[in-house]
């Protein structure tokens, strides 16, 4: 089965524990079969009333069935006195139960360990795979669905290992030991049983395939439920502001309805399977019962044999039924693992080349050479030539959708150029390691992502070695110290998911402090377009000024101060650079820049000049 093959790498490290669990299962199989062996004599013990007869018959049984037992053992059992005989049967039952109990505890806890280890490693691998994926992967998939794979699907695989794979190993073992017992009792009868049992199991395979198909669809719909609820909760304020609670509820209902229908199918399959299995089982038993009756009569056999044999066959039904239930877990697990391995197997499109070198520290220039770029097949950038020299500021301006963000995203290799090349000090960025490239670039974007930890931890994100003193220093330089001190616990204040407890301007200043701490030579800055209040704007601008000092910056510019200071302004229109130069030169051209200036930047004219902080 493909599912088990895929699980092998996860099961292998658990080989020792699995072997122990398996040893427990063997003991479990033997003790279960031993119960069947005890059944006949035990019943006779109850009904015959004459203990000596019972003992005789059971030791007679011992002689014929367990021929490998040393003769003197059988003899000594035969010679037991009446008191011992009275004790033998109950004691044997209790001892068997105790051994069986230990075996059960052992296999249960060991399998629990194995399945939990599989879950932990598989979840870690899925998470690793997710962290490696580039933005293009995420643009095609919903976060809610991916989260569902990481949690719900991983749990289904864990359950499949525990409730699925374990019985798959254990129950056949029980059946095998019961069959061995049957063979030792009467080989012809056992042969008949041996042929009938697989007949009863045959329909199981069909049900399993059917269930897997339904489960896969069910889990996809479960992913859709997660996506819908995740989005609605993440944007709950928008939902409330627009009064669209009912729409969101409808969306969830639709997703839940599709899931509900798949689940009904799944329950129906299981509902049909149980009676089918029982009818098959009843047919097999009915046949056997007839045969056994015939056998007892014609061979004048001991009814104790008959009872033991019959009990063995009846006991076989239970493991077979459990094997039937296994298909549920395996079908769910197989479908869930398909969804998980889709992520794990997805080769990220941005990876290190096998011979990638570490990018040496930036010294000279970044060059975009005739760069063309397309998302999927839609061309977005064409013939971009751009040079960014050390210590310079290049401002990208253009109307919305012109391609500014796309240009900026190429530098840290969030996407690879479709044609042309992007070099840093002459090294094509596709030929250097991602880690060494990204270590030299800080990105400060409009929508700063902050984690639900303390202010200090957010500033020191990715730099756990930073001292508290250094964190305070960068916070001061980013004009953040004042508001941080005013927070209830200062630097130790938890700022809530995505930093909800802070204002937009405060969040940006934390992001700038974070970039200051990273202290990279290259800076990509996406200036906020969203209007901050004048006070905030002033502080953010000062912080940005502090950040840009001594760095080489590529700025998606929305502020006049930035474009005024830029060494080069590149004006983008429809994915091409249509004008480039300094502010005054471009204004004089009276082209696209002059138009943008009139629309976007003029209102910033005569800004307050702010000192660059030390
Ligand atoms: P700007 O930053 O100048 O507003 P962008 O670089 O964000 O422009 O977008 C340029 C073009 O690329 C737009 O037409 C936009 O719709 C498209 N685009 C941006 N991101 C993606 C994406 N992930 N997939 C497909 N198209 C995209």
């Amino acid at each position: 089965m493909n599912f088990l093959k895929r699980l092998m790498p996860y099961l292998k490290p658990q080989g020792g524990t699995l072997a122990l669990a398996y040893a427990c299962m063997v003991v479990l199989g033997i003790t279960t079969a031993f119960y069947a062996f005890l059944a006949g004599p035990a019943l006779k013990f109850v009904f015959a009333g004459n203990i000596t007869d019972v003992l005789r018959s059971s030791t007679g049984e011992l002689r014929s069935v367990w021929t490998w037992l040393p003769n003197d053992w059988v003899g000594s059992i035969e010679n037991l006195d009446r008191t011992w005989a009275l004790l033998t049967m109950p004691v044997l039952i209790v001892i068997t139960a105790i051994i069986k109990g230990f075996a059960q505890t052992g296999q249960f806890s060991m399998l629990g360990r194995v399945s939990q280890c599989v879950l932990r490693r598989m979840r870690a691998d899925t998470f690793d795979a997710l962290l490696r994926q580039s933005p293009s992967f995420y643009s095609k998939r919903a976060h809610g669905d991916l989260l569902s794979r990481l949690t719900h699907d991983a749990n289904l695989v864990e359950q499949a290992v525990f409730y699925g794979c374990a019985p798959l190993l254990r129950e056949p073992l029980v059946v095998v030991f019961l069959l061995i017992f049957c063979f030792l009792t009467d080989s012809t009868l056992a042969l008949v049983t041996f042929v009938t049992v697989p007949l009863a199991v045959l329909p199981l395979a069909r049900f399993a395939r059917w269930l897997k198909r339904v489960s896969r669809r069910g889990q996809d719909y479960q992913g859709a439920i997660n996506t819908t609820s995740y989005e609605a909760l993440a944007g709950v304020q928008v939902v409330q502001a627009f009064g669209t609670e009912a729409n969101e509820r409808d969306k969830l209902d639709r997703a839940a309805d599709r899931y509900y229908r798949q689940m009904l199918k799944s329950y129906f399959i299981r509902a049909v399977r149980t009676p089918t299995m029982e009818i098959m089982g009843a047919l097999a038993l009915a046949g056997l019962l007839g045969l056994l009756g015939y056998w007892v009569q014609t061979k004048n056999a001991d009814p104790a044999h008959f009872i033991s044999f019959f009990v063995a066959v009846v006991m076989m039904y239970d493991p077979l039924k459990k094997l039937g239930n296994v298909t549920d877990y395996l079908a769910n697990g197989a479908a869930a693992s398909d969804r998980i391995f889709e992520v794990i197997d997805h080769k990220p499109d941005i990876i290190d080349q096998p011979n990638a070198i570490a990018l040496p520290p930036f010294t000279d220039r970044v060059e975009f050479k005739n760069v063309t770029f397309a998302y999927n097949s839609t061309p977005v950038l064409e013939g971009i030539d751009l040079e960014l020299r050390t210590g310079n500021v290049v401002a990208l301006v253009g109307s919305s959708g012109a391609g500014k963000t796309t240009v900026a995203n190429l530098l840290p290799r969030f996407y690879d150029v479709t044609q042309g090349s992007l070099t840093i000090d002459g090294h094509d960025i596709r030929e250097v390691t991602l880690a060494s490239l990204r270590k030299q670039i800080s990105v400060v974007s409009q929508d700063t992502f902050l984690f639900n930890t303390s202010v200090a931890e957010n500033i020191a994100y990715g730099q756990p070695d930073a001292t508290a003193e250094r964190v305070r220093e960068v916070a001061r330089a980013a004009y953040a110290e004042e508001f941080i001190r005013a927070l209830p616990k200062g630097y130790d204040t938890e700022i809530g998911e995505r930093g909800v407890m802070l204002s937009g301007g405060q969040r940006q200043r934390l992001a700038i402090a974070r970039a200051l701490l990273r202290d990279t030579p290259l800076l990509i800055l996406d200036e906020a377009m969203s209007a901050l209040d004048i006070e905030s704007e002033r502080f953010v601008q000062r912080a940005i000024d502090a950040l840009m000092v001594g760095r080489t910056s590529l700025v998606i510019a929305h502020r006049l101060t930035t474009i005024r200071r830029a060494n080069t302004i590149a004006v983008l229109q429809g994915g091409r650079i249509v004008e480039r130069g300094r502010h005054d030169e471009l204004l004089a051209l009276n082209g696209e820049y002059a138009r943008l200036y009139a629309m976007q930047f003029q209102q910033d004219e005569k800004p307050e000049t702010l000192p660059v902080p030390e």
Side-chain angles (χ1 to χ4, degrees), residues 61-71 184:
E61 216 162 77
L62 275 177
R63 259 192 212 294
S64 63
V65 175
W66 306 99
T67 43
W68 44 270
L69 270 182
N71 250 349
L184 289 173

Side-chain angles (χ1 to χ4, degrees), residues 135 139 375-376 378 380 398-407 415 556 572:
S139 66
Y375 289 109
N376 308 318
T378 329
V380 171
S399 47
S400 175
K404 305 179 292 293
T405 313
T406 309
V407 170
Y415 297 92
I556 299 173
L572 278 155

Side-chain angles (χ1 to χ4, degrees), residues 313-521:
V313 176
V314 172
M315 280 174 89
M316 249 180 253
Y317 183 71
D318 185 56
L320 290 176
K321 207 168 91 184
K322 282 191 182 143
L323 278 175
N325 294 338
V326 160
T327 51
D328 287 5
Y329 290 106
L330 288 182
N332 281 338
S337 89
D338 283 354
R339 278 167 53 82
I340 288 175
F341 283 114
E342 254 170 38
V343 174
I344 293 181
D345 295 343
H346 192 275
K347 206 164 159 272
D349 33 0
I350 310 279
I351 43 169
D352 285 348
Q353 283 185 6
N355 51 353
I357 55 158
L359 178 68
F362 174 66
T363 53
D364 185 30
R365 72 189 64 193
V366 174
E367 281 179 292
F368 288 71
K369 290 183 199 152
N370 199 17
V371 166
T372 299
F373 177 77
Y375 289 109
N376 308 318
S377 54
T378 329
V380 171
L381 299 178
E382 262 190 84
I384 302 286
D385 283 305
L386 196 64
E387 190 179 78
L388 181 56
R389 292 198 183 195
T390 176
N392 279 5
V393 176
V394 167
L396 299 170
V397 300
S399 47
S400 175
K404 305 179 292 293
T405 313
T406 309
V407 170
N409 278 341
L410 293 177
L411 188 54
R413 272 191 86 195
F414 289 140
Y415 297 92
D416 269 340
V417 300
T418 313
Q419 269 170 40
S421 69
L422 210 172
T423 60
I424 295 181
D425 293 342
H427 297 283
D428 190 312
I429 59 168
R430 285 166 296 190
E431 288 162 11
V432 300
T433 60
L434 270 179
S436 69
L437 169 73
R438 291 180 181 167
K439 217 167 78 188
Q440 302 206 38
I441 303 171
S442 289
V443 182
V444 178
S445 59
Q446 295 188 37
D447 47 348
T448 301
F449 191 95
L450 296 175
F451 293 89
N452 187 11
T453 51
S454 70
V455 171
E457 281 169 293
N458 264 291
I459 294 177
Y461 183 71
Q463 322 257 9
D465 300 339
T467 60
E469 183 44 44
R470 183 81 189 112
V471 167
R472 270 199 295 278
E473 232 172 77
V474 291
R476 216 172 297 133
Y479 293 88
E481 169 119 77
E482 204 178 323
F483 84 79
I484 296 173
R485 280 192 189 283
L487 292 171
K489 287 191 194 160
Y491 283 88
D492 295 325
T493 314
E494 303 272 326
I495 54 173
E497 198 170 347
R498 288 171 176 257
V500 283
M501 284 167 58
L502 303 176
S503 76
Q506 291 171 337
R507 282 202 292 271
Q508 277 180 7
R509 276 177 278 163
L510 282 197
I512 292 166
R514 194 191 261 177
L516 274 167
L517 190 65
R518 253 169 79 83
D519 197 19
T520 59

Side-chain angles (χ1 to χ4, degrees), residues 64-65 179-187 295 305-306 308-309:
S64 63
V65 175
L179 275 177
I180 290 175
F181 168 73
C182 291
F183 267 104
L184 289 173
T185 311
D186 189 289
S187 48
W295 174 68
H305 275 104
F306 166 81
S308 282
F309 195 96

Side-chain angles (χ1 to χ4, degrees), residues 39-51 54 85-90:
L43 279 180
K44 242 179 147 185
F45 172 81
V46 171
F47 291 113
N50 184 338
I51 198 63
V54 173
L86 263 173
L87 279 175
T88 315
M89 205 52 66

